[in-house]
């Protein structure tokens, strides 16, 4: 396990006993991700996503993200991407974000025990509430395991991801570890498409800030045009 994925797990273990503490802010949320991916020739792929989020204990929208990316297939194990995200945030301080990013996807290992994948992402972030450029590094590790031997089986999924700010900015980012996400769920085959559904804990503990724990129902529809 890589360093930042280990940090994500460690953060969850450390913070879990204090979730009931009144000083820890909590929220129940619903995230829906509509994701499509296709090919651009032999060695290139494209990805597009629309990602609405409902928060404030499911009382109203909290964010809306749109994402596009083009990827280059280096080999059967490595794909590199250049992408862009536009986000509108609707919480107590409405704002928007423009976020170019670079990403590398890795097929680390696979076998009868399952498949292990990794993802590295470097994001450049501009918010409408500041003038600084933020820089954030994300590292995710993902484990998948078919739950039966039938064709198109249910697949169990576990992911751990860590977010680290490289810079302190005038829009509120603080240099250092920011967020950990832990997800557990299943992928359900739907003809040529798939639905991933499960629970995600998002633990945000920025340096000098309040700890926040979001309990999220995640629904991801993976479409292949």
């Amino acid at each position: 396990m890589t360093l930042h994925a280990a940090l994500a797990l460690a953060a969850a273990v450390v913070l879990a006993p204090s979730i009931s503490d009144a000083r820890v802010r909590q929220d129940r949320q619903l995230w829906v991700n509509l994701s499509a991916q296709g090919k651009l020739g032999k060695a290139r792929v494209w990805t597009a996503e629309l990602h609405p989020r409902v928060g404030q204990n499911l009382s109203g929208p909290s964010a809306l993200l749109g994402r596009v990316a083009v990827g280059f297939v280096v080999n059967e194990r490595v794909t590199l991407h250049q992408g862009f995200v536009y986000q509108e945030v609707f919480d107590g301080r409405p704002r928007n974000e423009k976020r170019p990013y670079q990403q590398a996807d890795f097929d680390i290992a696979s076998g009868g025990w399952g498949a292990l994948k990794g993802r590295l992402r470097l994001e450049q972030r501009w918010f409408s509430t500041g003038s600084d450029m933020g820089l954030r590094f994300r590292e995710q590790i993902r484990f998948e395991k078919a739950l039966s031997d039938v064709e198109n089986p249910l697949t169990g999924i576990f992911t751990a991801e860590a977010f680290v700010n490289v810079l302190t900015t005038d829009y509120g980012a603080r240099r250092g570890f920011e967020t950990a996400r832990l997800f557990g769920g299943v992928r359900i085959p739907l003809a040529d498409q798939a639905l991933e559904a499960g629970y995600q804990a998002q633990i945000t503990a920025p340096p000098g800030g309040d700890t926040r724990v979001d309990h999220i129902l995640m629904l991801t529809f993976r479409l292949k045009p």
Side-chain angles (χ1 to χ4, degrees):
M1 182 177 294
T2 56
L3 174 60
H4 291 107
L7 282 174
L9 289 172
V13 171
V14 169
L15 292 173
S18 63
I19 286 178
S20 61
D21 193 316
R23 293 172 298 176
V24 177
R25 295 185 298 142
Q26 299 186 67
D27 193 16
R28 291 175 296 162
Q29 301 187 7
L30 169 65
W31 292 10
V32 178
N33 190 349
L34 305 174
S35 175
Q37 187 178 79
K39 293 184 178 180
L40 294 169
K42 293 183 179 180
R44 291 186 298 275
V45 296
W46 62 267
T47 302
E49 295 181 5
L50 183 64
H51 190 3
R53 300 175 179 176
V54 177
Q56 304 171 61
N57 288 317
L58 303 177
S59 65
S62 60
L64 177 64
L65 291 79
R67 183 192 311 272
V68 292
V70 175
F72 175 72
V73 180
V74 178
N75 54 46
E76 62 181 9
R77 289 187 175 275
V78 179
T79 302
L80 304 178
H81 302 264
Q82 174 62 58
F84 180 81
V85 174
Y86 179 80
Q87 176 179 205
E88 289 281 350
V89 181
F90 308 116
D91 60 15
R93 190 169 53 127
R95 58 201 182 277
N96 64 65
E97 177 193 6
K98 299 176 179 68
R99 187 198 312 170
Y101 69 91
Q102 299 76 45
Q103 177 175 309
D105 293 339
F106 303 94
D107 288 335
I108 299 172
S110 62
W113 48 269
L116 190 64
K117 302 180 180 182
R119 185 180 77 189
L120 302 177
R121 183 181 292 173
L122 183 65
E123 302 173 325
Q124 299 83 49
R125 313 182 73 195
W126 282 271
F127 278 90
S128 58
T129 50
S131 59
D132 292 345
M133 182 195 78
L135 195 62
R136 185 170 70 179
F137 178 73
R138 297 169 56 170
E139 184 171 5
Q140 182 190 85
I141 190 164
R142 177 183 177 99
F143 174 74
E144 300 182 356
K145 169 68 175 176
L147 301 180
S148 70
D149 295 328
V150 302
E151 186 177 359
N152 295 324
L154 286 174
T155 300
I157 300 170
F158 173 79
T159 69
E161 184 171 19
F163 297 64
V164 177
N165 287 317
V166 180
L167 302 174
T168 295
T169 69
D170 60 357
Y171 64 76
R174 294 293 177 264
R175 183 177 179 180
F177 176 82
E178 178 189 66
T179 301
R181 287 181 183 168
L182 299 174
F183 171 82
V186 295
R187 182 167 63 242
I188 304 167
L190 301 172
D192 292 332
Q193 321 303 328
L195 165 65
E196 293 181 4
Y199 167 76
Q200 177 170 274
Q202 177 172 265
I203 304 162
T204 302
D210 295 334
T211 297
R212 177 187 174 111
V213 179
D214 296 320
H215 306 280
I216 302 162
L217 172 61
M218 279 282 298
L219 300 175
T220 300
F221 296 88
R222 298 196 179 278
L223 312 175
K224 295 182 179 180

